[in-house]
Amino acid sequence: MNIHDKPKSLRPESVTQGPMAGSRKIYVHPDGRSDIAVPLREITLNPSANEPPVRVYDASGPYTESEPAIDLSAGLPRIRDPWLARRAGLDFYSGRPVQPEDNGSVSPDRLAPPCPANTSPRKGRDGALVTQYEFARAGVITEEMIYVAARENLGREAVLEGAEAKIADGESFGASIPAFITPEFVRDEIARGRAIIPANINHPELEPMIIGRNFLVKVNANIGNSAVTSSVAEEVEKMVWAIRWGADTVMDLSTGRNIHNIRDWIIRNSPAPIGTVPIYQALEKVNGDPTKLTFELFRDTLIEQAEQGVDYFTIHAGVRLGYIPLTAKRTTGIVSRGGSIMARWCLAHHKESFLYERFDELCDVMRAYDVSFSLGDGLRPGSIADANDRAQFAELETLGELTKIAWDKGCQVMIEGPGHVPMHKIKINMEKQLKECHEAPFYTLGPLTTDIAPGYDHITSGIGAAMIGWFGCAMLCYVTPKEHLGLPDRDDVKTGVITYRIAAHAGDLAKGHPAAQLRDDALSRARFDFRWEDQFNLGLDPDTARQFHDETLPKDAHKTAHFCSMCGPQFCSMKITQDIRDEVAAMEREKGMADKSAEFLDGGGKLYV
Amino acid sequence: MNIHDKPKSLRPESVTQGPMAGSRKIYVHPDGRSDIAVPLREITLNPSANEPPVRVYDASGPYTESEPAIDLSAGLPRIRDPWLARRAGLDFYSGRPVQPEDNGSVSPDRLAPPCPANTSPRKGRDGALVTQYEFARAGVITEEMIYVAARENLGREAVLEGAEAKIADGESFGASIPAFITPEFVRDEIARGRAIIPANINHPELEPMIIGRNFLVKVNANIGNSAVTSSVAEEVEKMVWAIRWGADTVMDLSTGRNIHNIRDWIIRNSPAPIGTVPIYQALEKVNGDPTKLTFELFRDTLIEQAEQGVDYFTIHAGVRLGYIPLTAKRTTGIVSRGGSIMARWCLAHHKESFLYERFDELCDVMRAYDVSFSLGDGLRPGSIADANDRAQFAELETLGELTKIAWDKGCQVMIEGPGHVPMHKIKINMEKQLKECHEAPFYTLGPLTTDIAPGYDHITSGIGAAMIGWFGCAMLCYVTPKEHLGLPDRDDVKTGVITYRIAAHAGDLAKGHPAAQLRDDALSRARFDFRWEDQFNLGLDPDTARQFHDETLPKDAHKTAHFCSMCGPQFCSMKITQDIRDEVAAMEREKGMADKSAEFLDGGGKLYV
């Protein structure tokens, strides 16, 4: 059942708040910058562990504070305002008046109110430093860069030596992950175009985050409005719920009535970057007829959304007229909505795409608000059969061409990728993207590694996502169990986000990210010590872990029992191992273990030789 | 809630029966062998598809026939009896008398009845051909080999050309998958030790299947008895449920009361090979004290279970005394139950393992019934921190040594593997196993690619399973969402099996298995054509797919609607693509498409150059 089909009494009147189980939100201050407060989550361990709390990345915003003071009408604290106020290149201005069609021409009685927290928009001046890319190229370290550097480091200063060892342990396929992230490293990566901080100057509520191959792998969750909306809180809740479970960015793919005003509420209350696909709204403004789209209408929609504070736009500027025939023989044609809309336009007019031809003018809008490009893969494969075909790669080459133009214009850029790709064809996607797109960050949907499991596409795609994250993909767009079948409900969104957090973390581990394994190790020790609560709380979803455990062994006493329901006390290998460990330790004290192994092996000889 | 906590009225009095949605069971006969009937499942497509039914592998046994005639007391049809009757090396004999301790010394009022379908056991004669390995080495093709050859081919004779193209498409890392599986190919693979057909001569009800790198990747599901058993049907149901969703083999990890008699019921009614870990039962016979185990008791337990028809035994003969100190510094010590039991014994007695020292005598038992070895990885890593350490690899080398001994004795062998391994350390496991164990089939648990997601370990491990299946692992032991937390219920078993079917299939696809992609392509075409019912039925779980779809669009009319609830009719990229395809086709008819692309691209020139 979709959440919106629920009786009104079950619909959220407010948003989910309060800390994650066993955790507390903390804020750390980068050296010398007490004015910058970077959120982390600290998981407290049982005193018997004799271990410090484990610090983990936290994308959930103020909603997970112990006593959150949330007022959706007021929006989140505008933490970037002091930073933005000091930038000479930004000016407030009146902004574009909201048009009835911005809200899908909704009738007045159904109009959602605008968010009272709205203020006049800012805009960047020509020739001044406006985007993170421009600052980085000019050698200037912004507050956003300082912020993300601290955020990426978690608590790993404390475990330096171990951390360095971990780097050597991974296989990063040419990534350059340092032991510690410094603001200067962040600046350098952004200047090279290898990372972006999606941070619209009109999204001062943002807690900045970075997307790039040499940083932690990130996860995006998609949300969309519903036909029947009972309250703006319900729409904001979708974003709050997704970031609670670990979404680093949220794409709002809404269409229809009230989307402008609801987007306001979402952005004013989102600590995470918000992405959109503006062509969806543009299409609504021409009543759903792709052939009626114009460059002017599209640009106006970009400005509309940029003034609201959208942090990145998916723009399918690589769908060129000449590539469309390449899709005609495909098993599943064009499956990207934006791609098919633009293809329809190109064919109807027999003209090159206006997004491609006038890309430089789009860049001018993007730069003025520091909206990052997410260059859309409108020709991504929609099936295993179509993976890595000429249409897909032709577009990728064009995206590389557009990347350089965007950089020349001062914009931040990432590149979207597939889609549906069997395992043996994933790596070439990453390699080709790095080469063709000059190392701009890659942002893929999955990929799904098989098409035979509708209802389980979070898993078919989680496999591909983990692999491409390892190979160098910077952000993974989640897929929920409802993919291809219906609209995800709350449970689906949570399952999708957690599956993708697994994929991202597995990728970080395999790349040898210096801080990644600390959490695995802490959880493994908790498991071995039968610290059940610690095991739950160190996991990605403490609530579900606890619930699963309690189904079989609900008693509180079992939370410290030195066995679990799977094997019972007699059969517990961990218990036996504990005995073995004690025994070996005793022998070690007795006579030294250095050659114990060799002695036991009778001189290392093999049987039957 | 565990199934066994359910009120009695909810407990199955019989087992799940009837066909999978949209499918019918068929039996095909290998050329010239009308006496051999090999099961397949045929998925019928909507007539509008203009496509033949899709044939898929079917491990579910007679339970999924249209009108199954199941009588648990009678057991399944003994299809192998005529084959076995013709083998000169096999004799019936009275067998070992059942002892009270075989059933956990259960009190008479609680004793589960033996299965009435039981008959006297067979035993192989010394010097005669008994095992599939011995037949294969002697150049003899058995009925089991003919059976599995037909089973592996599915319907791919019909699609020869496409199939050959698919092989070239994969990356198999040195596997040798032919376009068609012949009985001679099967024989040769078994003779080389690269594949096994686990097929105890006392399991005549078996529908033979093959485990090897050059065949379809297989999936094992574990089941176990419950403390409170209301009926034998309930215990048999666990096996039936697991194979319904696609488990190729089932391991019965039961302990405690009635295990001997319940095992009878399971085997008599199982078309899938049954595996066990005999040390569990042996340990119960010494009241749970590992130090009291003896070789004689263990061998007697092997004979007990071999006479019942268990098809493969996990035996942890590679846990040598000298390796135990190697585990003392591990984060999670020894996590294999069997491994920890044997380690305890070795340390307590300060002696080499009797399983290792008297391995040749174990081989004599295994050979006499053609029970396959599944050489257990008693020292597998239990955490990311312990992956690929010296203890693990030392044991693997010993398993290679034991493999040669088993082969010399005429036995079939596969090798068990980890466990918990980050992605970048998975491939070396496969490579080292192939090298050290002389290409004997590898059978891994997962591996889990991270430890931070208790409650989602089907996913953390499904990622690793897909990868190692691609790299060459022959069978994947499933992990359920309850792993590390509690006992899986029906839903967990289904989720685990389907996750692993995804992993196995993703592996087959990536290896370039000639028949694998046929199903993906059929489903993708159904998706593109909006044949919703076909899309559900071609999936691994038609019921869940249909349910997810119907949550948003329940009306029957929507089953043929040319859009879905995710985008709605206006936004449907597939619909737009259909229009594009029609348009391109029209243009093609007009003037030929060969140079259409080039023309559209204005001579292929790039913008801004």
Side-chain angles (χ1 to χ4, degrees), chain B residues 377-395:
Chain B
D377 54 336
L379 302 182
R380 68 169 175 268
S383 57
I384 292 296
D386 294 342
N388 293 14
D389 72 354
R390 184 62 204 142
Q392 181 195 334
F393 284 153
E395 182 188 35

Side-chain angles (χ1 to χ4, degrees), chain A residues 217-452:
Chain A
V217 179
K218 302 304 188 296
V219 170
N220 172 70
N222 295 331
I223 61 172
N225 64 345
S226 51
V228 186
T229 298
S230 70
S231 71
V232 291
E234 194 175 318
E235 300 299 316
V236 174
E237 168 68 5
K238 296 175 189 172
M239 174 275 294
V240 171
W241 184 248
I243 63 175
R244 179 175 185 87
W245 297 108
D248 294 289
T249 78
V250 171
M251 288 196 79
D252 176 11
L253 305 183
S254 297
T255 54
R257 287 191 300 233
N258 284 319
I259 58 169
H260 179 97
N261 285 2
I262 288 172
R263 192 188 299 126
D264 259 356
W265 286 88
I266 292 172
I267 296 171
R268 295 289 73 80
N269 288 284
S270 178
I274 298 295
T276 64
V277 188
I279 197 98
Y280 296 173
Q281 190 179 11
L283 185 67
E284 303 238 6
K285 293 178 181 175
V286 291
N287 298 312
D289 182 351
T291 65
K292 296 224 173 75
L293 287 167
T294 64
F295 175 77
E296 289 70 24
L297 180 86
F298 184 78
R299 184 176 58 182
D300 183 60
T301 305
L302 293 193
I303 293 168
E304 172 193 348
Q305 298 193 11
E307 287 180 354
Q308 291 185 288
V310 173
D311 300 287
Y312 62 91
F313 289 150
T314 293
I315 297 183
H316 300 90
V319 180
R320 295 191 61 184
L321 177 63
Y323 299 158
I324 300 167
L326 299 175
T327 69
K329 303 283 184 205
R330 277 179 159 186
T331 297
T332 48
I334 301 176
V335 295
S336 150
R337 275 196 271 171
S340 63
I341 291 164
M342 287 313 298
R344 193 80 197 79
W345 187 93
C346 291
L347 269 195
H349 296 279
H350 262 262
K351 273 193 189 164
E352 186 57 274
S353 157
F354 59 78
L355 299 178
Y356 177 78
E357 287 206 312
R358 302 178 71 175
F359 186 73
D360 59 336
E361 293 173 70
L362 299 181
C363 292
D364 292 335
V365 177
M366 305 293 275
R367 178 198 160 274
Y369 305 90
D370 198 5
V371 181
S372 297
F373 274 107
S374 186
L375 289 173
D377 54 338
L379 303 182
R380 67 171 176 266
S383 58
I384 293 296
D386 294 341
N388 292 14
D389 72 353
R390 185 59 206 145
Q392 181 195 333
F393 284 154
E395 182 189 34
L396 184 62
E397 291 157 18
T398 298
L399 299 186
E401 181 194 345
L402 297 174
T403 298
K404 290 217 156 171
I405 296 167
W407 285 343
D408 284 346
K409 287 280 192 170
C411 299
Q412 300 191 89
V413 185
M414 63 180 167
I415 310 291
E416 295 186 10
H420 295 240
V421 185
M423 283 191 288
H424 65 294
K425 294 187 177 176
I426 292 176
K427 193 149 188 290
I428 186 73
N429 271 278
M430 190 67 232
E431 289 166 352
K432 193 166 169 66
Q433 189 273 342
L434 285 171
K435 175 170 166 283
E436 299 291 345
C437 299
H438 325 291
E439 300 192 84
F442 205 22
Y443 165 32
T444 61
L445 177 75
L448 286 74
T449 54
T450 166
D451 290 328
I452 68 164

